[in-house]
Amino acid sequence: MKIEQIYTGCLAHGAYYISSKDEAAIIDPLRETQPYIDRLEKDGVRLKYIFETHFHADFVSGHLDLSKKTKAAIVYGPTAKPEFEAIVADDNQVFEIGDIKIKVLHTPGHTMESSCFLLIDETGKETALFSGDTLFLGDVGRPDLAQKAAGLTMEELAGLLYESLYNKILPLPDDITVYPAHGAGSACGKNMMKETVDSLGNQKKINYALNQPNKEAFIKAVTDGLLPPPGYFGMNVAMNKKGYESFDEVLKNGMTALTADEFEAVAEATGALILDTRNDAAFVRGFIPQSINIGLSGDFAPWAGAMIVDVAQPILLVTDIGREEEAITRLSRVGFDKVLGHLAGGFNAWELAGKETDTVNRITAEQFASEVKIGESQIIDVRKESEYAAEHVQEAYSKPLAYINNWIKDINPQQHFYLHCAGGYRSMIAASILLARGFRNFTEVAGGFNAIAKTVVPKTNFKCQSKLI
C-alpha cells in the first residue's frame, strides 16, 4: 500500500494518491491531471476511483478531466447532487482498491454532502482518515459557506458538524493518521496548523473544536471570528458541481502568444483584464497602464480569486518569460479559465514596441521614516487585521487588502497617503488596483512593515483605526 500527500502550498491544499496492488484512488485532485497520470504510469497501476470529499469552494477539482482520461469513477458522499455521472455513495459504503478498503463516513456540517474517507489496510486495520474540510489540524471546517445551498443557518450547520465530529470521528482509534484537505493559509478554516499530517489522538488533545464541553459551546467556538469568504468561492462550487471546460483547452488558449500590437488590440476589443504576474520589484519599475499586479511568487491563486472575483472575466497575461504555463495553470485552479493569451516576450516587448507604460511611486522604509509625520500623514496598512493588531505604525489605518473593494470608496483622491503591507507583495496589488481606478495620490513603501519596523518610526499594538479621514 502507498499513500502520498500531494501538497500545493499556494492553495494550502492536500490531494492524496493511494495505491494497492495494481489499483489506485485519488482524493480531491487539483485541476491539472498530468502529474497524477504520470504517477499512475510510473507505478503501473489503474485509477479505479476519484473520491471527492465535497464540492470544493476554494479550488476547482480535476475530477472531471481525470475521469475522462482514465475512466475512473467519481465518488461523492451521501446527498451530493453532481450534474454529471458519478457514484453518490451511502453512509458507511465500502470501496475496494487492491487489498485495501475505503469506507465513506458522511460528515455534514461544512457542507451537506461533506464526507470523510476511512482507509482500512490489508490487515483490516483502520489506518488513515482523509478528512476533507470536516476536520483540519487544529481546526474544523467553517460552517458558513453552504448556508444558501443547505437552507440552514450557520449555527444549524455548525450543529450538524458537531454531531459529525463527536459521533463519527472522535470514536475512531487514536493511532489513525489524519490527512486533511487544507493547512495553514487556507480560507476554509480560521485556526489551522502549519503541519499537514497528524494522529487523530493528538488532535483529540489539542484541537480546540474537539474539546468543547457541549454542542452549544462548540457552535459558539467554531462560528466566532469567521471572516467573510472570498467572493469567488460560490463560483468554484458551481464549477465543481456542474462541470467546466477541459484544462487542456484552457491551457491551449492561454498559451496563445500575442505581439504587443495584438495584445493591445485584444485588450481593447474584449475588455480583458491585464494581469501582470511579475514580482513587485519588477512591476514597480514599469507596467502596462491599467494592469493589475499579482505576483506568481506568492499566494497567487487565492489573491487572484479574491481580487478579480468573477471567474468569467477575460484575462490577458504579462509574465516573466517561461512562466506563462504556470500562471495559466494556477489561475485555472481557482476557476479563471478565460485567459485569452499572453504577451510574447514579456513586458520588455511592450517597451520595445514604444507602447505607453506606467510606474508606482515607491520609496524605501528609510525615506518613509524621514518623511512621515505621525498624526498628520495618512498611512494605510493593508495587512490582515491580526497582523495589524500585533504591531503597526502609530496612527496607521487598518485596511486589509481583502476588502479593498469596500474601502477604496472612502479614499479622498485629494489627500496623499502612504501604503504598505508586510513585505511589498500585497501593497503592490493594492497599488495597482488604486492606479487602475484613477488614484495617484499615494506612495508605496518598499519592504513593508518588515522594513519599517527596523526604522525609528513609532510603532504600537493598540488603537485599531479603520475609518479614513
Side-chain angles (χ1 to χ4, degrees), residues 223-374:
T223 57
D224 183 51
L226 288 174
L227 298 174
Y232 72 98
F233 269 26
M235 287 171 274
N236 277 197
V237 170
M239 292 176 72
N240 283 317
K241 186 175 183 179
K242 296 178 180 179
Y244 46 74
E245 186 175 6
S246 165
F247 170 73
D248 293 340
E249 192 64 26
V250 171
L251 182 59
K252 177 184 175 182
N253 293 337
M255 288 300 290
T256 301
L258 302 168
T259 66
D261 286 340
E262 291 170 335
F263 190 93
E264 187 174 45
V266 173
E268 291 177 355
T270 63
L273 172 74
I274 300 173
L275 180 60
D276 192 321
T277 67
R278 295 174 297 153
N279 64 39
D280 59 280
F283 184 84
V284 72
R285 293 193 297 267
F287 55 89
I288 299 172
Q290 303 297 307
S291 58
I292 302 302
N293 174 240
I294 304 177
L296 267 179
S297 300
D299 291 336
F300 173 70
W303 278 120
M307 297 294 99
I308 304 172
V309 180
D310 185 2
V311 296
Q313 169 69 52
I315 294 172
L316 285 167
L317 287 174
V318 178
T319 72
D320 290 317
I321 295 173
R323 301 192 75 181
E324 301 87 0
E325 183 173 340
E326 179 186 357
I328 297 161
T329 299
R330 291 172 68 177
L331 282 169
S332 75
R333 290 173 180 169
V334 288
F336 292 95
D337 288 357
K338 304 302 181 184
V339 179
L340 306 181
H342 66 275
L343 180 60
F347 180 69
N348 186 52
W350 184 267
E351 287 185 303
L352 290 174
K355 302 290 186 181
E356 182 184 358
T357 63
D358 200 354
T359 59
V360 174
N361 181 21
R362 167 177 267 190
I363 61 173
T364 66
E366 290 74 19
Q367 288 175 284
F368 173 70
S370 67
E371 292 181 13
V372 71
K373 294 179 174 59
I374 301 300

Side-chain angles (χ1 to χ4, degrees), residues 138-294:
D139 201 2
V140 294
R142 53 191 297 171
D144 63 323
L145 300 182
Q147 297 175 69
K148 184 176 180 181
L152 299 172
T153 66
M154 174 175 65
E155 290 75 18
E156 288 171 330
L157 282 165
L160 289 175
L161 184 59
Y162 173 87
E163 299 293 343
S164 296
L165 290 164
Y166 279 72
N167 295 335
K168 289 194 172 182
I169 304 303
L170 284 178
L172 295 172
D174 287 355
D175 61 354
I176 281 179
T177 302
V178 177
Y179 293 104
H182 297 292
S186 169
C188 292
K190 61 179 180 179
N191 193 45
M192 294 183 227
M193 297 163 55
K194 65 180 184 296
E195 292 80 8
T196 62
V197 178
D198 197 9
S199 69
L200 181 58
N202 192 48
Q203 285 301 301
K204 290 178 183 179
K205 294 177 183 176
I206 68 172
N207 191 316
Y208 78 97
L210 303 184
N211 286 279
Q212 296 300 317
N214 52 52
K215 187 174 183 178
E216 290 70 26
F218 174 90
I219 292 171
K220 185 178 187 306
V222 302
T223 57
D224 183 51
L226 288 174
L227 298 174
Y232 72 98
F233 269 26
M235 287 171 274
N236 277 197
V237 170
M239 292 176 72
N240 283 317
K241 186 175 183 179
K242 296 178 180 179
Y244 46 74
E245 186 175 6
S246 165
F247 170 73
D248 293 340
E249 192 64 26
V250 171
L251 182 59
K252 177 184 175 182
N253 293 337
M255 288 300 290
T256 301
L258 302 168
T259 66
D261 286 340
E262 291 170 335
F263 190 93
E264 187 174 45
V266 173
E268 291 177 355
T270 63
L273 172 74
I274 300 173
L275 180 60
D276 192 321
T277 67
R278 295 174 297 153
N279 64 39
D280 59 280
F283 184 84
V284 72
R285 293 193 297 267
F287 55 89
I288 299 172
Q290 303 297 307
S291 58
I292 302 302
N293 174 240
I294 304 177

